[in-house]
């Protein structure tokens, strides 16, 4: 399918669901993608992320793990945040880290704190598939949160 035909079909589906047959729940669209030039015998795993034009879950819970500057910026924007000292209180406790990872969908971290996260929290965030994305020193935090919220991660494992 070419790109224009795909976009036109998706617009028709959205128009139909909004105007003709209104439902009282959040609808989803399933999209299947065929991968060309991929040999599953050679490559056993496939992982990546796709950035969508719109945020699929606007109520994503985001937590900023940052230095003093990023924590102050997150507090001003009323976003959950934790400093390095707060992370030390977890004391690599697996149960606490797992509960912490379950509370949020997206984690963002300052470059300085990002290097220390495996030592402070252990492998809990990585196992949950929520290892933090880095916030650069001069990037806009709201823009970075929207980028992180609008990207979807995927993993495939071939047998």
């Amino acid at each position: 399918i070419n790109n224009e035909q795909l976009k036109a079909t998706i617009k028709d589906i959205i128009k139909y669901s909004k105007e003709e047959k209104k439902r009282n729940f959040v609808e989803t669209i399933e999209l299947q993608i065929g991968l060309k030039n991929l040999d599953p015998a050679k490559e056993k795993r496939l992982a990546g992320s796709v950035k969508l034009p719109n945020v699929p879950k606007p109520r994503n819970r985001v937590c900023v793990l940052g230095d003093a500057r990023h924590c102050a910026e997150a507090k001003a924007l009323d976003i959950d945040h934790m400093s390095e000292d707060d992370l030390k209180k977890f004391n690599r406790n697996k149960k606490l880290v797992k509960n912490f990872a379950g509370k949020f969908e997206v984690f963002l971290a300052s470059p300085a704190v990002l290097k220390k996260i495996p030592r402070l929290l252990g492998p809990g965030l990585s196992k949950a598939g929520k290892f933090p994305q880095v916030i650069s020193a001069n990037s806009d935090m709201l823009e970075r949160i929207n980028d992180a919220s609008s990207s979807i991660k995927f993993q495939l494992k071939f047998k």
Side-chain angles (χ1 to χ4, degrees):
I1 295 179
N2 64 17
N3 201 9
E4 293 85 27
Q5 187 179 4
L6 179 67
K7 287 182 180 180
T9 306
I10 291 173
K11 282 183 182 177
D12 290 342
I13 292 170
I14 291 172
K15 180 182 174 193
Y16 175 77
S17 72
K18 283 187 176 179
E19 295 172 6
E20 296 178 28
K21 199 161 186 181
K22 185 76 175 144
R23 294 181 173 93
N24 294 326
F25 57 90
V26 177
E27 295 183 66
T28 60
I29 297 174
E30 186 173 313
L31 181 64
Q32 293 183 358
I33 300 172
L35 301 172
K36 294 181 180 178
N37 302 326
L38 180 75
D39 186 13
K42 288 182 184 175
E43 301 170 38
K44 296 290 182 194
R45 292 175 182 255
L46 178 70
S49 66
V50 176
K51 186 180 180 305
L52 301 173
N54 299 322
V55 178
K57 295 180 183 176
R59 289 181 287 280
N60 254 356
R61 300 244 1 237
V62 178
C63 183
V64 176
L65 312 174
D67 51 19
R69 190 177 72 82
H70 281 125
C71 283
E73 190 177 344
K75 189 173 186 177
L77 295 170
D78 197 30
I79 297 168
D80 293 317
H81 60 280
M82 291 192 113
S83 66
E84 190 177 333
D85 296 331
D86 296 332
L87 295 176
K88 286 179 184 175
K89 292 176 186 171
F90 283 117
N91 204 18
R92 292 181 64 108
N93 185 329
K94 290 181 183 178
K95 197 170 191 177
L96 290 175
V97 173
K98 188 175 180 181
N99 288 339
F100 173 64
K103 288 180 185 175
F104 302 99
E105 285 82 25
V106 178
F107 289 96
L108 300 173
S110 303
V113 177
L114 189 70
K115 295 173 187 169
K116 299 175 184 176
I117 285 175
R119 193 180 66 220
L120 294 171
L121 299 179
L125 290 179
S126 298
K127 283 183 180 177
K130 297 181 180 180
F131 196 78
Q133 299 174 20
V134 68
I135 311 171
S136 59
N138 54 0
S139 67
D140 180 32
M141 190 173 287
L142 276 178
E143 186 179 310
R144 191 69 187 103
I145 288 170
N146 283 336
D147 285 348
S149 296
S150 65
S151 63
I152 293 180
K153 296 177 187 171
F154 61 88
Q155 290 180 321
L156 289 170
K157 193 164 112 175
F158 301 109
K159 294 182 180 179

